[in-house]
């Protein structure tokens, strides 16, 4: 019998924030503590073979807690937000059936909101109309990061990607797939194509990608900031916030 005031079904923990804000590390730490499994809500990491350039969770990170939503399609295949919603809902059900807590983690706002607000893609609704009512079982937290800190993290990650042979990854992808594919025209891959074609040197390419990812981070925050249901926390406070919600509302 459920304790009065305590919800019987495990919640959906949602962790959002801009690129390079530390979502992956925070989510892994919290999910490990609370028997969670992570569903990645990222329109870039759905693609197979795009590992370094999409900052996909590493094999070591994926070994700590189960990850879903990665490597779903080839770069040449179409995958829509409606496809993601259907996939995520299925995984939430499966994770709960194992007695675990589903964690929806990512920076692709449309992916996240399609699940949290149960988008009906048969209707022509605006983002504001979609956000009238979130699902009652969602614990939604956003990682707040100072602009200077975030910009620095983005720059260091760009340097690390090039050090981790992202150029080789992109070269192999370019040979296997058309550079004009949608999956190949976003993120770091066009930057590397320009580098390979001698249109920019290494330093210029790193700077260009840093600027590009910084613009992405600002677009992501423009999407998330108006959402009144997100509780914003510093990265060091996210775990405490989620744990307190799980304890008080779900006795977990």
């Amino acid at each position: 019998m459920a304790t009065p005031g305590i919800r019987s079904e495990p919640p959906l923990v949602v962790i959002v924030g801009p690129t390079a804000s530390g979502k992956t590390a925070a989510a892994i730490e919290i999910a490990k503590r609370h028997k969670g499994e992570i569903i990645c809500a990222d329109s870039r990491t759905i693609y197979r073979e795009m590992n370094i350039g999409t900052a996909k969770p590493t094999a070591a990170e994926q070994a700590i807690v189960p990850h879903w939503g990665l490597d779903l399609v080839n770069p040449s295949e179409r995958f829509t937000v409606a496809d993601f919603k259907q996939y995520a809902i299925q995984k939430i059900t499966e994770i709960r059936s194992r007695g675990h807590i589903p964690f929806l983690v990512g920076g692709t706002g449309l992916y996240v909101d399609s699940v949290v607000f149960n988008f009906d893609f048969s209707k022509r609704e605006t983002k504001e109309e979609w956000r009238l009512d979130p699902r009652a079982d969602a614990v939604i937290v956003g990682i707040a990061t100072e602009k200077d800190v975030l910009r620095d993290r983005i720059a260091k990650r760009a340097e690390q990607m090039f050090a981790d042979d992202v150029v080789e990854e992109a070269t192999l992808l370019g040979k296997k797939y058309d550079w004009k594919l949608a999956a190949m025209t976003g993120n770091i891959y066009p930057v590397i194509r320009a580098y390979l074609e001698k249109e920019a040197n290494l330093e210029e390419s790193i700077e260009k990608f840093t600027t590009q990812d910084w613009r992405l981070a600002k677009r992501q925050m423009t999407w998330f900031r108006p959402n009144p249901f997100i509780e914003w926390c510093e990265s060091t406070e996210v775990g405490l916030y989620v744990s307190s919600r799980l304890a008080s509302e779900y006795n977990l």
Side-chain angles (χ1 to χ4, degrees):
M1 183 175 180
T3 304
I6 298 295
R7 305 183 188 187
S8 57
E9 187 175 54
L12 170 65
V13 177
V14 183
I15 301 178
V16 302
T19 187
S21 60
K23 297 183 297 295
T24 296
I28 289 173
E29 189 273 328
I30 303 166
K32 180 182 178 182
R33 189 190 317 160
H34 293 287
K35 295 183 179 179
E37 299 185 31
I38 293 172
I39 304 167
C40 297
D42 189 315
S43 62
R44 303 186 294 185
T45 58
I46 61 170
Y47 295 113
R48 302 183 186 107
E49 303 174 77
M50 293 183 164
N51 302 319
I52 302 168
T54 62
K56 194 176 293 181
T58 65
E61 289 172 327
Q62 294 181 49
I64 298 172
V65 296
H67 280 68
W68 306 100
L70 304 173
D71 304 323
L72 300 182
V73 293
N74 293 326
S76 57
E77 295 177 298
R78 187 170 181 264
F79 189 85
T80 68
V81 63
D83 293 327
F84 176 80
K85 180 193 172 186
Q86 181 180 20
Y87 174 88
I89 295 298
Q90 177 184 337
K91 288 302 175 186
I92 289 169
T93 300
E94 292 175 4
I95 292 167
R96 284 175 167 164
S97 73
R98 292 188 281 271
H100 294 173
I101 299 175
F103 282 69
L104 184 65
V105 182
T108 302
L110 191 57
Y111 276 23
V112 173
D113 285 2
S114 73
V115 177
V116 172
F117 297 98
N118 191 28
F119 285 5
D120 183 352
F121 293 102
S122 68
K123 299 179 180 179
R124 297 179 64 85
E125 298 173 314
T126 66
K127 181 171 65 176
E128 289 69 27
E129 289 172 322
W130 276 329
R131 284 180 171 171
L132 289 177
D133 267 314
R135 50 191 295 163
D137 62 350
V139 174
I140 312 172
V141 59
I143 297 182
T145 310
E146 292 291 334
K147 289 183 178 180
D148 290 344
V149 173
L150 185 60
R151 176 82 189 211
D152 184 61
R153 293 187 67 170
I154 288 172
K156 288 180 178 177
R157 189 175 69 176
E159 293 177 359
Q160 190 61 50
M161 282 185 179
F162 278 87
D164 290 341
D165 290 331
V166 71
V167 173
E168 180 181 0
E169 176 180 275
T171 301
L172 294 174
L173 287 166
K175 291 178 180 178
K176 187 172 183 178
Y177 301 101
D178 190 335
W179 284 102
K180 296 179 181 179
L181 288 174
M184 295 289 290
T185 57
N187 199 35
I188 198 172
Y189 300 107
V191 175
I192 296 177
R193 184 185 185 187
Y195 170 72
L196 293 172
E197 294 178 353
K198 311 298 183 183
E199 296 176 8
N201 60 32
L202 180 61
E203 183 179 346
E204 291 168 339
S205 299
I206 293 173
E207 179 59 33
K208 185 175 182 179
F209 179 59
T210 298
T211 300
Q212 182 175 296
D213 239 21
W214 173 241
R215 289 172 179 166
L216 169 63
K218 291 195 290 185
R219 290 196 303 272
Q220 289 171 320
M221 286 307 298
T222 297
W223 179 282
F224 289 124
R225 196 176 289 113
N227 188 338
F229 303 103
I230 298 175
E231 180 71 26
W232 291 97
C233 302
E234 297 292 331
S235 59
T236 54
E237 300 172 347
V238 173
L240 179 61
Y241 173 77
V242 172
S243 294
S244 65
R245 288 284 302 274
L246 295 180
S248 63
E249 298 178 30
Y250 299 91
N251 198 28
L252 296 171

